[in-house]
Structures are given as structure tokens and as C-alpha cells.
Amino acid sequence: MALSQSWRRTLESLCLSFGAILAGILLFGVFCALAGTNPFAVYGSIWKAAFGTWSTFQNTLVRAAPLMLSALCTALPARLGLVIIGNEGALVVGGLAAVSMGLAMGTAFPPFIVQVGMAIAGMIMGGIWIGAAGWLRHYRGVNETISSLLLNYVAIALLNHLVGGPLRDPSSLNKPSTFPLAEVNMLGSIPGTRVHWGLLYGLIACIIAYFLMQRTTFGFAARTAGGNIRAAKIAGLPVGKLTVMICFLAGTCAGLAGMVEVAAVQGAANESLNVGYGYGGILVAFAARHNPLAAVLISLLVGGILASGGILQRAHGLPDATVLIFQGLVFLMVLYSDSLYGKFGVFKEKPIMIEPPAPPPPSPGQEPVMTV
Amino acid sequence: MTSTATTTPTIQIERPPDLQVTGMSKHFGTLVALDNVSMHLKPGSFHALLGENGAGKSTLVKCIMGFYAPTSGAVLIDNNPVKIANPRDAHHYGIGMVYQHFTSVPAMTVAENLVLSRYESKALINWKDEMEQLQVFMDSSPFRVPIDVPIAQLAAGQKQKLEILKQLYLQSRILILDEPTSVLTPAEADEVLGLLREQVTEGKLSVLMISHKFREVMAFADEITVLRKGRFAGSGLVKDLTVPEMAEMMMGEKKEPTPVNKVADLEKAAVLDVRNLCANKDNGVEAVSSVNLVVHSGEIVGIAGISGNGQRELVEVLAGQREPTSGEIYVNGEPYGATRAEMFKHKVFALPEEPLKNACVPHMSVAENMALHTFDRPPQAKGIMLILNAIRQTAIGLIHQFSVKTPSPETPVGNLSGGNVQRAVLARELSADHIKLLIAANPCFGLDFNAVDFIHTEIVDARNRGVAVLLVSEDLDELLKLSDRILVISGGKFVYDSPIDEADFAAIGTSMAGH
């Protein structure tokens, strides 16, 4: 019985999440029709560009990798009851830190060591970024949503300043960039594909995050504090430390996404870092209902949407930014679907009182003390 | 002279309507919460609805209020069947309810909540007029609450008064009260019920009150209806009935209150030592001013006081939910900061009031909530990994031992009824092997007799085993029954301190009133 009831809840999440995405797709079709294109042709193109062939699916995978990591930046603090949207900022500073570390280490160390150093630098910097938002939240009462959002602008300004000045490669004329990382230090591709190893980072991070929250004492404490801070305090849980630690961990994931972007795709830090993986990650986290494993699947979907930007421009004459409208509509629908939980009778738990499971044989001192 | 006369013009002389319920049933899926219950609330009478937790009292009144759609049965107003689909319809027929849980908006002031509670909605609110009218209403009402204070800063007793005031403000002619006095001191309860009784006697109101307290039923009610396990179990005039007869209707057997057996002459050592402790309310006003308190092992120290005199803040500091502004707390002679490590080391446990709000995570499962103290050590954890099966098995044992009614250990604790949430918390706090210090605040809030007796027995047992118990309660009878030493808190200070056998009731009363 307990099994079938939790099964209903899972089905509700699945139906509502996918229903919301479907509704977003339909609305996007209306938008395309208004823009003077055939929505079905657009759907076809998106499908082809995102999932149609192995070759195009690899593009999707490449984009899904940073999305998975960046989604964790919202999904982890959400379990603590915090709404963090500083993914973009943490990703940018993570990328900056990774490039700086990569350039500093240069070719003096074996590439593997340099890559580890870049990853650690990116993670620490991203962690500090979001950890700061968590610290402000707990110890200074600053709304974490606003502070993390504003930190995005700080991060982007920092990036623009560094690539335009102190770290600028004079040979990057049109698009100011840092000096490029040495070719040997770049993250390679998974053999037989064009997909870089960042995808594996994302998968592993999501799995670790899931186990951390569901199966460890740390996750239990965090979920308790997120569910009811008064109950957490009465159990003596260090709510402040938990807040800062969860936010730090969340930031490390986004920072790692930044490292993956510079070390596997861009080769240097420039404005291409903030192309929307951070905001896409927020969408992924909400659509996945902050479940790290579901975030993997949703990342593929959103990655596919992002990958289809080019073809919309080439084949349908729609502006490049059309995919952002698509993304925005889907996000809106996902947020709306949140209000539909519990509204459909099909998913309601049947309030059948089952008999308590056969009690264990009463050991001394364990006899029933109340009977009603 | 009555509260209702001055607010908005209405028909003042109208007598309360006659309310009948016939053959009311309510099924939730296959769970039968209410089975063919009938009752009759005569105009201008004070009717008590009795029954244990889960007997269907709340379900019955929620069906009357249109909060639930009954599976079968009818509501008759003045002998005409009426359809009540929602509380607004109920208000139309002059029926208003004070719910067991507070229904005011915490961030808004008393005045705003009162205006908000009105059913007709205006686009614009003329606050100047409203405030004048509210002040007139408040001046003439049976009891008072400051109208410009946010609800969040009111104590439980004041909130409950506001809930009743709200219905008077709405000009309800039939008042349904769901355990209205569970948060009030006996004196406050007598005052509130006495004033309602006057209104009933004058023929201005009918009252239907859900209660657990025979004393109040005997003193104020005209008639009772008793439910047991969702069924009608009896009714009658209060003057024809005795307490044991009512108890028998409720429980199906005669019930004597269990006497408590205290072991005398226990070895005494100071366990909790509070020195010059100060703490603020949420709004920064000092609530606890420099109190000193020692609780010895094998001793129950009771703290009496009218709600809102700093006892809540004191308990929150001791339970780790509030930072003190100054002062020291020692447990077993060591400084105590209510961290998890210190709680575990000194075996400190707490039974806070309103357990769903204070001690549970509503959307987490019963099993997880029961593991709140133990999830991070063996056998429920191995290193940093949770052992989910151990957590589940412990919960199954506790659910059985403490008779917690839940569909399964995986059910979110917020889905349980109030009494069962309390049992789940009790199971967690009292099942530990070696409690040294127990901090209990209104532990019997809204529980039935079996549960109250059980908790009292457990607390005294704990004391007899050498546990130091700090018991904060708004129920003076409970304190006098259990305590070894009784203190009275007023205005954030202890104003009375006496061993129980030397306690002077009159002095306690005047101390509580702040004299």
C-alpha cells in the first residue's frame, strides 16, 4: 500500500512536469505561427537538431553537461528551503578561476594535474560565491534569491573587467578573451564521440547529490532544516553551518560547470561563458522538482532546445534568441504546474487506514503503553 | 453592552436559529470518520460536544460549516433543510466557527485580521473609520486584544481570544468552538466561557463547544452530545448527568483519573542551572529579564503564568530555538548552548507546545520525524550513511508502542491528526533510554484523557528515575498535580517560588495576575 501511494506521487510529478513542458511547446508553436512560420516545421527542425541523429544528439549532450552541474546550484539549496538563482554568476567566476589556474600552472605540470587544479579552483571559487549568499541569508537575514541574483551581475562585471584588462590576450580583437589554455591542458572527448568528459562530471555530480541528500546524515539534517527550522533547532542541528555548507556545495557544482565550459569548449574565458547555462540550470532544477536524478533527464531536454538555436535561424529565419523564448515559455509553464499539485483526484492518496504492520514481539519495556 | 451592537447595523433582537443535524455521515475513501450522527442545538443553549481524539467531533462541525461535504445527512436550520457548501454559506445562516488551529494572518495586525475576516469585500478600506469602529467594538467586547499589534507577537491565549472576537465581530448567532480553552489558563477560560454563557443566557447566542474538560462542561454547558469512534454515543442535559457517566459515554467504561505516585527523598543534584538569563521577543522587546532557575534531578519544577509573560521565550532559549541576549545556562555544571553534541551528552529532551510547528517537519515521513535525534548515530547511521531500514524499524516499534495512528511509517507527519502528531513527538522524546533533563511546555495541549494520563504518568516516572523536569504549563491543575516546586512567571520574572506542599493557591493566583 505504501508502495502504491508513493507511486501515485511519483506519477503526479512525472505527469505534471512533462505536461508543463508539453504546454510550453504548444505555446511556443503559437508564437512561431504568429511570427509567420509553420510551427510543425519548427518542431521538426528542433527535433532533428536536438535528438534526430547521433551527430546532432552529441551537440545536445555537450550542452546538457553544464546544465546538469548548474541545475544542482539551485536544486541543492532548494532542499533547504532556499531559492538560489546565482548559477550564472557562480559559473562565470568558476570559469575565471579555472582559467587563471590553468594559465598559472601552464605546461609545468602534467595535463591531468593541471585539469584537477583547474577543477578545484573553479569549484572553490563558485562555492565561495554561493556560500556567501547562504552566509548573508543566515547570519544577516539578506534574501538569498536577491543576493544571488545580484551576485550574477557582479560576476559578469568582474569577467568583463578581467578579459578587458588584466587578463586580456592582445590577439583577441573582436571578442576580448583571456589568454588561451594550452592545448594539452584541455579536457578531451569521450572516445568515439565529440562529447567532452564534462558530461561524466555532470552525471557523477547529480548522482552524488542525490545520495548526499537522500541517504546521508548530512542530507537528512539539511532536509530537516529546510522543512522546519524550529524542529531542526530543537534537535540541535547547526542550521547556520548547514546553510553555508549546502550553498557552498551548490556553488562548487556551478563553478565546475564554468571550468568545464572553459576547459572543454571555449579554451579561454570570454563573454561566451555567460550564454545562459546558469539560467537554463534554474529551469532544469525547477522542472526536475529539485531531484538531482530527474535533473539529468531534463538537462538533455533543455540542452536539446539550446542546441537547436542555430537551425531556427538558418532554416526558418527566426532570430537566434527564439530559443530563449522557448525556454522562457517552458519555464513559465513549469512554475505554473507547481500550483496544480493535489488538484487532480487521480493522483490523490487514498486515505485507507491500513492496520499497523505486525508488531515486533514485545521485548521487556516495549509493551504498548497506550491503547485507544 | 454587547460587543455586536456598535460595529455594523444589523438585526440585534434576532434570536439564534435552531440547528439540527440528522443522519450525518462522512467517509474519506474507506475510512468512516462519521457514521449516522444526529444532534440538536436548541436556540439559546450552550451545547458541549464530547469525545476522544478521533471520535469525529471536528469532522462533524466541519460538515456543519460546509468545510467538508458530508457523504450523507442533512443540516436543518429552523427545521428547513439547507445546503451549506462552504463557510460563507454557514455565515449566511449565522453560524461561525473558531477552529482548533489559529486562522489569523501572522504578519498582519489584529485590526487588519478583523477587517479581513468580513465576508463582504470592499474595494477600498477607510482605515480611519474602521479603526474607530474597531476600537468601539473592542471597548464593548467581553475581552480585549490590542488592535494594532501583529498576530505573530500575540501569545497563544490572546490569539484564541481573537479567534472568538472575530466571530462576535462577524455577528455570528451560532458559535462553534473547537477546544477553545486549551490554550487558556483556568481563570481566563472561566472568564471567556462565563462571558459567552451570559450571552447565551440572554438569548443572543447559541454555542456548540468541542471540549475535553469536564469541569468546563459541568460549569457552563446546558446539554451534551457524545461521540465515540465516529458514532453517536449518547446525549443529555448536563444537570441530569455526572462526570463518571459522561466519561463512560465517551470511553465506554468508567474512568478514574490515575493518581500519580511520586517517590520521595531522591538524591538531589542540580541538573539545570540558569543564571541571569535574558531573552527578547521577536520584536526585540525584552521577554525574559534576568531569571535564575535551578532544577534538580528527581524534581519537577512547574512554571505557571498567564500566556505571554515570557515563558514561551524561556522555553525556546532552553530548547535551542532562540538566542539569549545575556546570561548563562549550565547543565550538569557545564555551560550549555543547546548544540546537538551537548543535547546528546547531557541527554536533554524537549516536548514543545504545538508540536507540528515546533518539533516536526510536516512533509517528511513519520519515520524520519521519529529519527530526528538519532539519525546520525548507530544503528540508524553508519558513518555518514543513513541506514533507512533501521530508521523504519525503530519507527514501527514506536508507532506500535505509542499507538500512533498512521497509514504507514512513510506517511508525511503533517497528514496525521493533531493528537497523533503529538504522540509521534512523545514517542521520539520519551523513548530515549536515559533522559537527564526534560523540558516540557504545555505537553497536554488538546489531548484526550488517555493521552493526558499517559503523559502525566510518563513525566512522573521520569522524575522518579531521577530526571530533572521543567514543566511550563498554562494548566494550573496540571502543575499542582505534578510539580514538586512551583514558580510563577509574570512580566519575564519569577514572582513566586514555593515547594508544592507549602504552595498558597491565593498567592499563586495574585502572582499570576501580576500583583
Side-chain angles (χ1 to χ4, degrees), chain A residues 63-78 83-91 152 206 250 253-254 257 273-292 294-303 306 324 327-328 330-331 334-335:
Chain A
R63 286 172 173 80
L67 282 174
M68 289 174 197
L69 288 165
S70 134
L72 292 177
C73 186
T74 298
L76 286 177
V83 180
I84 293 271
I85 56 173
N87 320 32
E88 191 91 12
L91 188 148
N152 285 346
C206 284
C253 294
L273 258 183
N274 57 325
V275 289
Y277 287 124
Y279 294 112
I282 303 171
L283 165 61
V284 171
F286 273 86
R289 292 188 64 70
H290 309 301
N291 179 327
V296 172
L297 291 177
I298 306 282
S299 294
L300 291 177
L301 205 67
V302 176
L306 290 177
L324 294 181
Q327 212 179 312
V330 170
F331 195 17
V334 164
L335 290 181

Side-chain angles (χ1 to χ4, degrees), chain A residues 214-217 220 223-224 227-228 230-231 233-237 351-354 359 365 367-370 372, chain B residues 31 316 320-321 340 343 352 356-361 368 372 375 384-386 388 400-403 407 423 454:
Chain A
Q214 298 303 129
R215 306 302 289 269
T216 69
T217 57
F220 192 105
R223 283 186 287 135
T224 304
N228 184 351
R230 295 179 66 82
K233 283 182 174 171
I234 223 167
L237 296 172
I352 299 166
M353 295 297 280
I354 50 155
E367 297 85 2
V369 282
M370 285 196 287
V372 174
Chain B
L31 176 78
E316 284 176 349
Q321 292 179 319
R340 196 170 173 84
M343 283 180 190
L356 191 61
K357 188 181 144 206
N358 274 311
C360 288
V361 185
E368 287 175 313
L372 212 53
F375 71 85
I384 61 158
M385 298 302 288
L386 294 171
L388 297 184
H400 176 64
Q401 194 186 354
F402 285 77
S403 302
R423 280 165 194 247
F454 168 69

Side-chain angles (χ1 to χ4, degrees), chain B residues 14-303:
Chain B
E14 192 189 322
R15 67 170 182 86
D18 178 275
L19 173 73
Q20 274 191 73
V21 177
T22 55
M24 187 76 84
S25 297
K26 176 66 187 170
H27 299 191
F28 296 101
T30 57
L31 176 78
V32 180
L34 205 57
D35 187 12
N36 196 23
V37 171
S38 301
M39 64 162 289
H40 185 191
L41 176 62
K42 300 185 186 92
S45 71
F46 200 122
H47 200 114
L49 190 56
L50 293 169
E52 296 209 61
N53 281 343
K57 303 169 308 244
S58 290
T59 311
L60 175 62
V61 295
K62 281 178 178 168
C63 285
I64 297 174
M65 286 301 293
F67 195 78
Y68 292 150
T71 311
S72 65
V75 175
L76 284 76
I77 303 275
D78 290 334
N79 291 317
N80 299 316
V82 293
K83 176 119 186 67
I84 297 180
N86 53 48
R88 183 185 282 254
D89 289 351
H91 174 248
H92 175 74
Y93 294 110
I95 307 173
M97 175 156 173
V98 175
Y99 293 91
Q100 198 171 4
H101 301 289
F102 302 128
T103 57
S104 298
V105 183
M108 289 166 74
T109 64
V110 171
E112 286 169 329
N113 269 286
L114 284 172
V115 172
L116 181 73
S117 66
R118 285 208 307 247
Y119 282 83
E120 87 278 13
S121 47
K122 282 187 280 186
L124 280 177
I125 298 171
N126 183 338
W127 277 109
K128 192 164 162 286
D129 288 1
E130 293 288 353
M131 290 304 272
E132 277 169 18
Q133 285 177 13
L134 281 170
Q135 199 57 57
V136 173
F137 164 72
M138 202 55 90
D139 288 344
S140 63
S141 66
F143 32 82
R144 276 172 213 142
V145 178
I147 64 172
D148 51 357
V149 172
I151 305 304
Q153 289 168 22
L154 296 181
Q158 287 171 307
K159 283 186 198 165
Q160 189 66 297
K161 283 185 178 176
L162 175 65
E163 297 289 330
I164 295 173
L165 280 178
K166 220 190 256 180
Q167 291 308 323
L168 297 180
Y169 181 70
L170 291 174
Q171 321 257 330
S172 298
R173 320 295 300 163
I174 294 180
L175 218 53
I176 300 179
L177 307 170
D178 193 350
E179 295 178 35
T181 59
S182 48
V183 291
L184 306 183
T185 62
E188 278 176 319
D190 286 354
E191 184 199 346
V192 170
L193 294 178
L195 288 160
L196 289 175
R197 175 74 240 181
E198 271 174 33
Q199 306 261 311
V200 171
T201 311
E202 287 170 25
K204 289 173 183 158
L205 271 183
S206 295
V207 172
L208 175 61
M209 176 175 78
I210 295 179
S211 182
H212 280 136
K213 296 181 184 169
F214 286 137
R215 190 185 66 81
E216 289 166 2
V217 172
M218 293 305 284
F220 299 104
D222 299 311
E223 221 178 324
I224 61 163
T225 295
V226 184
L227 301 184
R228 185 166 71 230
K229 292 178 180 164
R231 292 202 179 86
F232 176 81
S235 66
L237 295 174
V238 170
K239 63 178 162 57
D240 302 335
L241 290 166
T242 62
V243 171
E245 281 167 341
M246 289 188 209
E248 192 178 341
M249 282 189 209
M250 270 175 72
M251 282 169 285
E253 67 195 47
K254 277 209 164 69
K255 182 80 189 167
E256 297 294 328
T258 317
V260 296
N261 299 308
K262 286 192 195 166
V263 179
D265 301 324
L266 287 163
E267 203 176 317
K268 295 279 165 73
V271 175
L272 175 68
D273 185 358
V274 175
R275 294 180 201 163
N276 301 321
L277 188 77
C278 296
N280 288 347
K281 288 185 199 171
D282 292 336
N283 60 1
V285 173
E286 184 163 81
V288 179
S289 34
S290 199
V291 300
N292 290 287
L293 172 68
V294 179
V295 184
H296 297 93
S297 58
E299 178 185 49
I300 299 176
V301 173
I303 297 184

Side-chain angles (χ1 to χ4, degrees), chain B residues 296-492:
Chain B
H296 297 93
S297 58
E299 178 185 49
I300 299 176
V301 173
I303 297 184
I306 296 165
S307 56
N309 273 289
Q311 58 271 64
R312 191 178 78 189
E313 287 77 12
L314 176 64
V315 168
E316 284 176 349
V317 169
L318 295 177
Q321 292 179 319
R322 183 178 291 275
E323 290 290 318
T325 48
S326 68
E328 292 108 50
I329 304 170
Y330 295 89
V331 174
N332 295 327
E334 292 175 36
Y336 180 76
T339 63
R340 196 170 173 84
E342 286 166 350
M343 283 180 190
F344 179 70
K345 181 178 176 194
H346 298 299
K347 309 278 190 252
V348 180
F349 289 84
L351 293 175
E353 58 185 354
E354 298 187 68
L356 191 61
K357 188 181 144 206
N358 274 311
C360 288
V361 185
H363 66 76
M364 282 168 71
S365 72
V366 173
E368 287 175 313
N369 273 287
M370 283 179 165
L372 212 53
H373 288 301
T374 48
F375 71 85
D376 55 354
R377 53 182 58 93
Q380 298 192 343
K382 192 174 177 187
I384 61 158
M385 298 302 288
L386 294 171
I387 309 295
L388 297 184
N389 196 39
I391 289 175
R392 189 168 191 277
Q393 289 307 322
T394 309
I396 289 172
L398 290 176
I399 286 169
H400 176 64
Q401 194 186 354
F402 285 77
S403 302
V404 183
K405 278 188 198 154
T406 171
S408 75
E410 284 76 31
T411 304
V413 77
N415 291 7
L416 303 189
S417 74
N420 282 307
V421 173
Q422 195 117 2
R423 280 165 194 247
V425 172
L426 274 173
R428 180 179 82 205
E429 302 293 330
L430 292 180
S431 62
D433 279 343
H434 303 288
I435 314 174
K436 290 232 178 74
L437 173 61
L438 180 67
I439 297 156
N442 295 312
C444 301
F445 177 97
L447 289 188
D448 61 43
F449 299 111
N450 278 330
V452 170
D453 266 353
F454 168 69
I455 295 173
H456 286 177
T457 312
E458 283 293 317
I459 289 177
V460 172
D461 276 357
R463 169 213 177 267
N464 291 346
R465 288 199 308 268
V467 175
V469 182
L470 181 68
L471 175 65
V472 178
S473 177
E474 288 166 11
D475 181 349
L476 196 52
D477 294 335
E478 177 175 83
L479 289 173
L480 293 172
K481 179 179 167 191
L482 300 180
S483 306
D484 294 295
R485 193 152 67 84
I486 190 159
L487 307 177
V488 175
I489 191 166
S490 176

